[in-house]
Protein backbone atom coordinates (compact mmCIF):
# COMPACT_ATOMS: atom_id res chain seq x y z
CA UNK A 1 0.00 0.00 0.00
CA UNK A 2 2.85 2.37 0.89
CA UNK A 3 4.55 1.48 -2.39
CA UNK A 4 1.46 2.49 -4.38
CA UNK A 5 0.98 5.70 -2.39
CA UNK A 6 4.62 6.73 -3.00
CA UNK A 7 4.36 5.90 -6.71
CA UNK A 8 1.16 7.94 -7.15
CA UNK A 9 2.64 10.84 -5.16
CA UNK A 10 5.81 10.85 -7.28
CA UNK A 11 3.81 10.62 -10.53
CA UNK A 12 1.69 13.61 -9.47
CA UNK A 13 4.80 15.62 -8.56
CA UNK A 14 6.42 14.85 -11.96
CA UNK A 15 3.20 15.81 -13.77
CA UNK A 16 3.03 19.14 -11.92
CA UNK A 17 6.73 19.85 -12.65
CA UNK A 18 6.23 19.15 -16.38
CA UNK A 19 3.22 21.48 -16.52
CA UNK A 20 5.24 24.25 -14.85
CA UNK A 21 8.20 23.82 -17.23
CA UNK A 22 5.87 23.91 -20.27
CA UNK A 23 4.15 27.01 -18.93
CA UNK A 24 7.51 28.79 -18.39
CA UNK A 25 9.09 27.74 -21.72
CA UNK A 26 8.79 30.12 -24.71
CA UNK A 27 5.81 29.62 -27.00
CA UNK A 28 6.32 26.98 -29.67
CA UNK A 29 8.95 25.15 -27.63
CA UNK A 30 7.61 21.96 -26.12
CA UNK A 31 9.70 20.29 -23.45
CA UNK A 32 10.27 16.60 -24.25
CA UNK A 33 7.72 14.56 -22.35
CA UNK A 34 9.13 11.80 -20.18
CA UNK A 35 7.54 8.40 -20.60
CA UNK A 36 5.35 7.78 -17.57
CA UNK A 37 5.81 4.20 -16.33
CA UNK A 38 4.29 4.75 -12.89
CA UNK A 39 1.07 2.99 -13.91
CA UNK A 40 2.96 -0.33 -14.20
CA UNK A 41 3.79 -0.24 -10.49
CA UNK A 42 0.24 0.87 -9.59
CA UNK A 43 -1.24 -1.98 -11.66
CA UNK A 44 1.07 -4.54 -10.00
CA UNK A 45 0.14 -3.27 -6.51
CA UNK A 46 -3.59 -3.28 -7.33
CA UNK A 47 -3.49 -6.85 -8.67
CA UNK A 48 -1.87 -8.01 -5.46
CA UNK A 49 -4.28 -6.06 -3.24
CA UNK A 50 -7.37 -7.38 -5.08
CA UNK A 51 -6.11 -10.93 -4.51
CA UNK A 52 -5.29 -10.04 -0.89
CA UNK A 53 -8.91 -8.94 -0.33
CA UNK A 54 -10.33 -12.13 -1.86
CA UNK A 55 -8.44 -14.42 0.52
CA UNK A 56 -10.21 -13.48 3.79
CA UNK A 57 -12.69 -11.11 5.41
CA UNK A 58 -9.96 -10.04 7.85
CA UNK A 59 -7.87 -8.87 4.88
CA UNK A 60 -10.89 -7.05 3.46
CA UNK A 61 -11.29 -5.19 6.75
CA UNK A 62 -7.60 -4.20 6.73
CA UNK A 63 -7.94 -2.87 3.15
CA UNK A 64 -11.24 -1.10 3.92
CA UNK A 65 -9.33 1.24 6.25
CA UNK A 66 -7.59 2.65 3.15
CA UNK A 67 -10.88 3.15 1.24
CA UNK A 68 -10.74 6.96 1.36
CA UNK A 69 -7.29 7.01 -0.31
CA UNK A 70 -8.38 4.46 -2.94
CA UNK A 71 -11.47 6.51 -3.84
CA UNK A 72 -9.42 9.72 -4.10
CA UNK A 73 -7.30 8.00 -6.78
CA UNK A 74 -10.14 6.00 -8.31
CA UNK A 75 -10.09 8.03 -11.55
CA UNK A 76 -6.84 6.57 -12.91
CA UNK A 77 -6.46 3.81 -15.56
CA UNK A 78 -10.24 3.37 -15.95
CA UNK A 79 -10.35 3.94 -19.72
CA UNK A 80 -8.13 0.93 -20.45
CA UNK A 81 -10.24 -2.25 -20.61
CA UNK A 82 -7.13 -4.47 -20.40
CA UNK A 83 -6.50 -3.18 -16.87
CA UNK A 84 -9.98 -3.97 -15.53
CA UNK A 85 -9.44 -5.61 -12.16
CA UNK A 86 -6.09 -3.85 -11.69
CA UNK A 87 -6.95 -0.26 -10.70
CA UNK A 88 -7.43 1.51 -7.35
CA UNK A 89 -11.22 1.45 -7.94
CA UNK A 90 -11.10 -2.35 -8.31
CA UNK A 91 -9.22 -2.60 -5.00
CA UNK A 92 -11.87 -0.32 -3.43
CA UNK A 93 -14.75 -2.60 -4.29
CA UNK A 94 -12.75 -5.76 -3.57
CA UNK A 95 -12.39 -4.42 -0.02
CA UNK A 96 -16.16 -4.57 0.57
CA UNK A 97 -17.40 -7.10 -1.99
CA UNK A 98 -19.97 -9.57 -0.57
CA UNK A 99 -19.35 -8.25 2.93
CA UNK A 100 -22.53 -6.85 4.51
CA UNK A 101 -20.72 -5.57 7.60
CA UNK A 102 -18.32 -3.42 5.56
CA UNK A 103 -21.01 -2.33 3.08
CA UNK A 104 -23.00 -0.98 6.05
CA UNK A 105 -19.85 0.81 7.29
CA UNK A 106 -19.81 3.02 4.16
CA UNK A 107 -20.45 6.68 4.94
CA UNK A 108 -22.04 9.38 2.80
CA UNK A 109 -18.79 11.34 2.30
CA UNK A 110 -17.17 8.22 0.76
CA UNK A 111 -20.00 7.54 -1.70
CA UNK A 112 -20.15 11.26 -2.47
CA UNK A 113 -16.62 11.03 -3.91
CA UNK A 114 -17.90 8.47 -6.43
CA UNK A 115 -20.95 10.65 -7.21
CA UNK A 116 -18.64 13.63 -7.91
CA UNK A 117 -16.47 11.60 -10.33
CA UNK A 118 -19.59 10.16 -11.96
CA UNK A 119 -21.09 13.64 -12.44
CA UNK A 120 -17.86 14.76 -14.15
CA UNK A 121 -18.21 11.82 -16.54
CA UNK A 122 -21.68 13.13 -17.38
CA UNK A 123 -20.38 16.59 -18.25
CA UNK A 124 -17.05 16.16 -20.06
CA UNK A 125 -15.47 13.86 -22.62
CA UNK A 126 -12.60 11.53 -21.85
CA UNK A 127 -9.62 13.56 -23.12
CA UNK A 128 -7.37 10.49 -23.27
CA UNK A 129 -9.79 8.72 -25.65
CA UNK A 130 -10.46 11.85 -27.72
CA UNK A 131 -6.68 12.22 -28.27
CA UNK A 132 -6.63 8.64 -29.60
CA UNK A 133 -9.27 9.56 -32.20
CA UNK A 134 -12.44 8.42 -30.46
CA UNK A 135 -15.54 10.60 -31.01
CA UNK A 136 -16.05 13.56 -28.67
CA UNK A 137 -19.45 12.74 -27.14
CA UNK A 138 -19.46 15.60 -24.64
CA UNK A 139 -19.59 13.02 -21.83
CA UNK A 140 -17.72 9.86 -20.83
CA UNK A 141 -19.66 6.55 -20.71
CA UNK A 142 -16.47 4.46 -20.40
CA UNK A 143 -15.30 5.66 -16.98
CA UNK A 144 -18.91 6.39 -15.91
CA UNK A 145 -19.79 2.69 -16.27
CA UNK A 146 -16.90 1.77 -13.95
CA UNK A 147 -18.18 4.08 -11.17
CA UNK A 148 -21.69 2.67 -11.55
CA UNK A 149 -20.19 -0.81 -11.23
CA UNK A 150 -18.67 0.25 -7.89
CA UNK A 151 -22.07 1.49 -6.67
CA UNK A 152 -23.58 -1.90 -7.54
CA UNK A 153 -21.26 -3.58 -5.00
CA UNK A 154 -22.30 -1.00 -2.40
CA UNK A 155 -26.07 -1.51 -2.74
CA UNK A 156 -26.25 -5.25 -3.47
CA UNK A 157 -24.59 -7.80 -1.18
CA UNK A 158 -25.08 -11.59 -1.33
CA UNK A 159 -28.21 -11.32 -3.46
CA UNK A 160 -29.96 -8.70 -1.33
CA UNK A 161 -30.32 -4.93 -1.43
CA UNK A 162 -28.62 -2.98 1.38
CA UNK A 163 -31.49 -0.59 2.14
CA UNK A 164 -29.42 2.14 3.85
CA UNK A 165 -26.93 2.35 0.97
CA UNK A 166 -29.65 2.08 -1.69
CA UNK A 167 -31.53 5.11 -0.31
CA UNK A 168 -28.26 7.05 -0.08
CA UNK A 169 -27.23 6.22 -3.67
CA UNK A 170 -30.63 7.29 -5.05
CA UNK A 171 -30.33 10.57 -3.14
CA UNK A 172 -26.78 11.22 -4.40
CA UNK A 173 -27.69 10.49 -8.04
CA UNK A 174 -30.83 12.65 -7.98
CA UNK A 175 -28.87 15.48 -6.41
CA UNK A 176 -26.51 15.37 -9.43
CA UNK A 177 -28.68 14.54 -12.48
CA UNK A 178 -25.57 14.64 -14.72
CA UNK A 179 -24.67 11.24 -13.17
CA UNK A 180 -27.58 9.74 -15.14
CA UNK A 181 -26.12 10.41 -18.60
CA UNK A 182 -27.65 12.76 -21.22
CA UNK A 183 -30.62 10.46 -21.96
CA UNK A 184 -32.06 10.29 -18.43
CA UNK A 185 -31.40 13.77 -17.11
CA UNK A 186 -33.65 16.79 -17.61
CA UNK A 187 -34.98 16.89 -21.15
CA UNK A 188 -33.14 13.73 -22.27
CA UNK A 189 -34.62 11.43 -24.91
CA UNK A 190 -35.02 8.51 -22.52
CA UNK A 191 -33.60 5.03 -22.14
CA UNK A 192 -35.15 3.39 -25.23
CA UNK A 193 -33.87 6.06 -27.63
CA UNK A 194 -30.39 5.90 -26.06
CA UNK A 195 -30.25 2.09 -26.44
CA UNK A 196 -31.47 2.17 -30.06
CA UNK A 197 -28.97 4.90 -31.06
CA UNK A 198 -26.03 3.24 -29.26
CA UNK A 199 -26.89 -0.12 -30.85
CA UNK A 200 -26.93 1.45 -34.34
CA UNK A 201 -23.60 3.16 -33.66
CA UNK A 202 -22.08 -0.13 -32.53
CA UNK A 203 -23.37 -1.94 -35.64
CA UNK A 204 -21.84 0.75 -37.90
CA UNK A 205 -18.48 0.57 -36.09
CA UNK A 206 -18.38 -3.24 -36.30
CA UNK A 207 -19.36 -3.26 -39.99
CA UNK A 208 -16.71 -0.64 -40.80
CA UNK A 209 -14.04 -2.56 -38.85
CA UNK A 210 -14.88 -5.75 -40.74
CA UNK A 211 -15.21 -3.85 -44.06
CA UNK A 212 -18.56 -5.53 -44.64
CA UNK A 213 -21.68 -3.96 -46.14
CA UNK A 214 -24.41 -4.96 -43.75
CA UNK A 215 -28.04 -4.67 -44.74
CA UNK A 216 -29.73 -1.88 -42.83
CA UNK A 217 -26.41 -0.46 -41.59
CA UNK A 218 -25.58 2.78 -43.34
CA UNK A 219 -22.79 5.30 -42.93
CA UNK A 220 -19.76 3.01 -42.73
CA UNK A 221 -17.46 6.05 -42.71
CA UNK A 222 -17.70 6.33 -38.95
CA UNK A 223 -15.48 8.83 -37.14
CA UNK A 224 -13.97 6.12 -34.98
CA UNK A 225 -10.48 4.58 -34.74
CA UNK A 226 -9.76 1.04 -35.93
CA UNK A 227 -8.39 -1.60 -33.56
CA UNK A 228 -4.60 -1.84 -33.69
CA UNK A 229 -4.82 -5.59 -34.22
CA UNK A 230 -6.86 -8.67 -33.43
CA UNK A 231 -5.52 -8.74 -29.88
CA UNK A 232 -6.05 -5.02 -29.14
CA UNK A 233 -7.44 -5.37 -25.61
CA UNK A 234 -7.71 -1.61 -25.10
CA UNK A 235 -9.92 -1.01 -28.14
CA UNK A 236 -13.29 0.50 -27.21
CA UNK A 237 -16.50 0.29 -29.25
CA UNK A 238 -18.10 3.62 -28.31
CA UNK A 239 -21.63 2.43 -29.12
CA UNK A 240 -21.21 -0.65 -26.92
CA UNK A 241 -19.73 1.56 -24.16
CA UNK A 242 -22.85 3.78 -24.19
CA UNK A 243 -25.07 0.67 -24.07
CA UNK A 244 -23.09 -0.71 -21.12
CA UNK A 245 -23.33 2.62 -19.27
CA UNK A 246 -27.12 2.85 -19.49
CA UNK A 247 -27.75 -0.84 -18.78
CA UNK A 248 -25.39 -0.74 -15.77
CA UNK A 249 -27.19 2.41 -14.58
CA UNK A 250 -30.58 0.68 -14.90
CA UNK A 251 -29.13 -2.35 -13.10
CA UNK A 252 -27.89 -0.23 -10.18
CA UNK A 253 -31.17 1.70 -9.95
CA UNK A 254 -33.11 -1.59 -10.04
CA UNK A 255 -31.02 -2.95 -7.16
CA UNK A 256 -31.66 0.29 -5.24
CA UNK A 257 -35.43 -0.28 -5.50
CA UNK A 258 -37.13 -1.13 -2.19
CA UNK A 259 -38.22 -4.74 -1.76
CA UNK A 260 -41.93 -5.56 -2.20
CA UNK A 261 -42.15 -6.56 1.50
CA UNK A 262 -40.94 -3.09 2.53
CA UNK A 263 -43.33 -1.43 0.06
CA UNK A 264 -46.18 -3.45 1.58
CA UNK A 265 -45.39 -1.88 4.96
CA UNK A 266 -46.20 1.53 3.42
CA UNK A 267 -42.98 3.27 4.51
CA UNK A 268 -42.83 6.81 3.09
CA UNK A 269 -39.12 6.57 2.18
CA UNK A 270 -39.69 3.39 0.19
CA UNK A 271 -42.72 4.75 -1.64
CA UNK A 272 -40.83 7.94 -2.51
CA UNK A 273 -37.80 5.96 -3.74
CA UNK A 274 -39.99 3.84 -6.00
CA UNK A 275 -41.78 6.92 -7.36
CA UNK A 276 -38.41 8.57 -8.18
CA UNK A 277 -37.18 5.44 -10.00
CA UNK A 278 -40.41 5.19 -12.00
CA UNK A 279 -40.10 8.84 -13.01
CA UNK A 280 -36.57 8.21 -14.36
CA UNK A 281 -37.46 5.29 -16.64
CA UNK A 282 -41.07 4.91 -17.91
CA UNK A 283 -42.54 1.44 -18.37
CA UNK A 284 -42.86 1.98 -22.16
CA UNK A 285 -39.08 2.39 -22.47
CA UNK A 286 -38.47 -0.86 -20.60
CA UNK A 287 -40.94 -2.91 -22.67
CA UNK A 288 -39.61 -1.28 -25.87
CA UNK A 289 -35.99 -2.13 -25.01
CA UNK A 290 -36.88 -5.73 -24.12
CA UNK A 291 -38.71 -6.08 -27.46
CA UNK A 292 -35.58 -5.15 -29.48
CA UNK A 293 -34.18 -8.05 -31.49
CA UNK A 294 -30.65 -9.33 -31.04
CA UNK A 295 -28.43 -9.33 -34.10
CA UNK A 296 -27.68 -13.01 -34.76
CA UNK A 297 -25.43 -12.40 -37.77
CA UNK A 298 -21.73 -12.44 -36.98
CA UNK A 299 -19.44 -9.91 -38.64
CA UNK A 300 -16.75 -12.06 -40.28
CA UNK A 301 -13.46 -10.93 -41.75
CA UNK A 302 -13.29 -12.15 -45.37
CA UNK A 303 -11.30 -15.39 -45.55
CA UNK A 304 -11.42 -15.90 -41.78
CA UNK A 305 -14.00 -17.48 -39.51
CA UNK A 306 -15.45 -15.46 -36.63
CA UNK A 307 -13.80 -15.92 -33.25
CA UNK A 308 -17.07 -15.21 -31.46
CA UNK A 309 -20.66 -14.85 -32.62
CA UNK A 310 -21.51 -12.25 -29.95
CA UNK A 311 -23.12 -9.23 -31.65
CA UNK A 312 -21.29 -5.90 -31.33
CA UNK A 313 -24.08 -3.97 -29.61
CA UNK A 314 -27.10 -5.23 -27.67
CA UNK A 315 -26.36 -8.51 -25.84
CA UNK A 316 -28.45 -10.65 -23.44
CA UNK A 317 -26.63 -9.24 -20.41
CA UNK A 318 -28.06 -5.79 -21.22
CA UNK A 319 -31.62 -7.12 -21.25
CA UNK A 320 -30.97 -8.92 -17.97
CA UNK A 321 -30.40 -5.52 -16.30
CA UNK A 322 -33.63 -4.15 -17.80
CA UNK A 323 -35.66 -7.15 -16.57
CA UNK A 324 -34.25 -6.67 -13.07
CA UNK A 325 -35.34 -2.99 -13.05
CA UNK A 326 -38.77 -3.86 -14.47
CA UNK A 327 -39.36 -6.56 -11.86
CA UNK A 328 -38.13 -4.62 -8.81
CA UNK A 329 -39.49 -1.15 -9.70
CA UNK A 330 -42.75 -1.90 -11.53
CA UNK A 331 -43.53 -5.56 -11.00
CA UNK A 332 -45.72 -7.46 -13.48
CA UNK A 333 -49.10 -7.61 -11.80
CA UNK A 334 -51.05 -6.63 -14.91
CA UNK A 335 -52.10 -9.56 -17.12
CA UNK A 336 -52.03 -7.54 -20.36
CA UNK A 337 -48.46 -6.39 -19.62
CA UNK A 338 -47.44 -10.01 -18.93
CA UNK A 339 -48.79 -11.25 -22.27
CA UNK A 340 -47.35 -8.28 -24.14
CA UNK A 341 -43.88 -9.01 -22.76
CA UNK A 342 -44.28 -12.72 -23.44
CA UNK A 343 -45.32 -12.18 -27.06
CA UNK A 344 -43.07 -9.27 -28.06
CA UNK A 345 -39.95 -9.83 -25.93
CA UNK A 346 -39.53 -13.22 -24.31
CA UNK A 347 -40.80 -15.67 -26.97
CA UNK A 348 -38.61 -14.14 -29.74
CA UNK A 349 -35.56 -14.44 -27.43
CA UNK A 350 -36.44 -18.05 -26.55
CA UNK A 351 -36.76 -18.75 -30.28
CA UNK A 352 -33.41 -17.08 -30.97
CA UNK A 353 -31.74 -19.38 -28.42
CA UNK A 354 -33.02 -22.49 -30.23
CA UNK A 355 -31.68 -21.14 -33.55
CA UNK A 356 -28.16 -20.90 -32.11
CA UNK A 357 -27.75 -24.60 -31.29
CA UNK A 358 -24.59 -25.60 -33.19
CA UNK A 359 -24.83 -28.78 -35.27
CA UNK A 360 -21.10 -29.45 -34.85
CA UNK A 361 -21.53 -29.61 -31.08
CA UNK A 362 -19.42 -26.49 -30.52
CA UNK A 363 -20.39 -23.70 -28.17
CA UNK A 364 -21.99 -20.53 -29.49
CA UNK A 365 -20.99 -17.60 -27.24
CA UNK A 366 -24.25 -15.84 -28.06
CA UNK A 367 -26.19 -19.06 -27.40
CA UNK A 368 -24.57 -19.45 -23.97
CA UNK A 369 -25.27 -15.79 -23.13
CA UNK A 370 -28.92 -16.18 -24.21
CA UNK A 371 -29.28 -19.32 -22.09
CA UNK A 372 -27.90 -17.47 -19.05
CA UNK A 373 -30.39 -14.62 -19.66
CA UNK A 374 -33.27 -17.10 -20.05
CA UNK A 375 -32.29 -19.10 -16.95
CA UNK A 376 -31.49 -16.15 -14.69
CA UNK A 377 -34.18 -13.66 -15.78
CA UNK A 378 -36.91 -14.86 -18.13
CA UNK A 379 -37.86 -18.22 -16.56
CA UNK A 380 -37.90 -17.01 -12.90
CA UNK A 381 -40.04 -14.05 -13.98
CA UNK A 382 -42.48 -16.25 -15.93
CA UNK A 383 -42.77 -18.66 -13.00
Amino acid sequence: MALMMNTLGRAQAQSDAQEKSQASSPEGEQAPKEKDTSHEMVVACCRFLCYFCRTSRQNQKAMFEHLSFLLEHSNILLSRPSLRGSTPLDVAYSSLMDNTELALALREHLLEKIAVYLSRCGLQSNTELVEKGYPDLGWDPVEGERYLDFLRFCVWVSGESVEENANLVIRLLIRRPECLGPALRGEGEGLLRAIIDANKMSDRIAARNAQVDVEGVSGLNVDHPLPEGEEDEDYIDTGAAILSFYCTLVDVLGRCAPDTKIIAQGKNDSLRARAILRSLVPLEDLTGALSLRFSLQSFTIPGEGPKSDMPPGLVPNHKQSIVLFLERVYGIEDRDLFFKLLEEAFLPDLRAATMLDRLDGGDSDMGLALNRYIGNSILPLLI
Side-chain angles (χ1 to χ4, degrees):
M1 192 66 203
L3 191 59
M4 183 163 70
M5 289 164 86
N6 289 337
T7 305
L8 286 168
R10 195 163 60 248
Q12 186 61 47
Q14 283 176 354
S15 171
D16 293 345
Q18 278 183 1
E19 283 177 19
K20 281 180 187 173
S21 67
Q22 284 177 357
S24 59
S25 63
E27 283 185 31
E29 282 184 31
Q30 286 290 327
K33 211 172 184 181
E34 290 181 37
K35 190 184 176 187
D36 181 18
T37 56
S38 61
H39 78 272
E40 293 171 14
M41 179 61 80
V42 172
V43 166
C45 291
C46 289
R47 279 184 185 150
F48 171 81
L49 293 171
C50 283
Y51 178 76
F52 174 77
C53 288
R54 283 199 297 272
T55 52
S56 80
R57 285 178 170 256
Q58 195 176 345
N59 289 355
Q60 272 189 310
K61 200 168 185 178
M63 199 71 248
F64 189 80
E65 292 172 13
H66 296 283
L67 188 63
S68 186
F69 171 83
L70 292 168
L71 295 182
E72 279 167 22
H73 293 88
S74 63
N75 61 329
I76 62 172
L77 305 173
L78 294 183
S79 56
R80 292 177 58 181
S82 63
L83 299 182
R84 197 166 188 132
S86 309
T87 71
L89 185 63
D90 295 306
V91 180
Y93 60 63
S94 294
S95 73
L96 54 88
M97 191 188 296
D98 296 329
N99 191 323
T100 309
E101 181 192 346
L102 294 179
L104 286 168
L106 283 165
R107 294 292 172 262
E108 185 167 353
H109 72 276
L110 292 170
L111 288 178
E112 199 156 7
K113 288 181 182 179
I114 293 295
V116 168
Y117 280 128
L118 187 53
S119 65
R120 284 182 200 162
C121 292
L123 294 172
Q124 55 196 36
S125 292
N126 187 316
T127 50
E128 186 184 332
L129 293 179
V130 171
E131 284 171 10
K132 288 181 180 176
Y134 287 91
D136 188 347
L137 301 171
W139 66 294
D140 180 9
V142 177
E143 293 192 1
E145 186 264 335
R146 298 296 309 278
Y147 291 120
L148 289 170
D149 211 27
F150 175 85
L151 293 177
R152 177 161 41 194
F153 287 102
C154 300
V155 301
W156 193 260
V157 179
S158 304
E160 289 185 4
S161 178
V162 181
E163 190 184 346
E164 294 85 343
N165 291 353
N167 290 336
L168 177 56
V169 165
I170 291 175
R171 203 161 63 241
L172 287 170
L173 295 180
I174 297 305
R175 220 181 276 165
R176 292 184 170 84
E178 53 274 15
C179 292
L180 304 171
L184 295 190
R185 68 170 184 251
E187 300 300 312
E189 294 182 327
L191 178 71
L192 179 58
R193 187 74 256 159
I195 287 177
I196 290 171
D197 290 346
N199 198 29
K200 282 181 181 173
M201 181 193 283
S202 189
D203 279 345
R204 285 201 300 271
I205 292 167
R208 194 282 310 268
N209 289 356
Q211 298 297 307
V212 175
D213 288 325
V214 180
E215 190 180 342
V217 177
S218 57
L220 296 186
N221 296 322
V222 189
D223 181 21
H224 200 275
L226 287 160
E228 291 179 7
E230 282 184 41
E231 302 300 320
D232 185 3
E233 292 181 2
D234 282 326
Y235 180 73
I236 291 168
D237 174 335
T238 303
I242 295 171
L243 261 173
S244 291
F245 174 88
Y246 282 115
C247 290
T248 305
L249 174 62
V250 163
D251 190 279
V252 170
L253 293 174
R255 293 175 196 275
C256 286
D259 196 78
T260 46
K261 293 173 189 171
I262 298 168
I263 291 283
Q265 293 169 12
K267 286 185 179 178
N268 284 339
D269 284 352
S270 303
L271 294 170
R272 188 163 60 245
R274 188 176 66 176
I276 288 169
L277 294 172
R278 287 182 173 183
S279 71
L280 288 175
V281 187
L283 185 60
E284 296 74 29
D285 277 15
L286 297 169
T287 54
L290 289 173
S291 301
L292 294 173
R293 300 286 180 267
F294 293 117
S295 171
L296 298 184
Q297 56 190 352
S298 56
F299 293 92
T300 55
I301 300 167
E304 295 181 29
K307 287 193 170 179
S308 169
D309 63 347
M310 286 293 278
L314 188 69
V315 292
N317 202 32
H318 295 143
K319 283 197 181 183
Q320 202 164 316
S321 299
I322 295 165
V323 169
L324 183 136
F325 184 95
L326 173 69
E327 207 172 1
R328 288 183 62 85
V329 176
Y330 284 96
I332 306 181
E333 305 300 325
D334 181 63
R335 190 174 62 175
D336 290 341
L337 172 62
F338 175 81
F339 282 120
K340 182 182 178 185
L341 282 169
L342 185 63
E343 189 177 350
E344 296 178 9
F346 298 150
L347 283 177
D349 288 345
L350 289 164
R351 198 171 294 119
T354 64
M355 290 164 59
L356 288 169
D357 284 339
R358 295 263 293 265
L359 296 174
D360 60 3
D363 287 331
S364 154
D365 290 340
M366 181 60 176
L368 291 171
L370 262 173
N371 287 335
R372 278 194 298 273
Y373 167 51
I374 291 165
N376 294 334
S377 296
I378 294 180
L379 290 181
L381 185 144
L382 294 180
I383 291 164

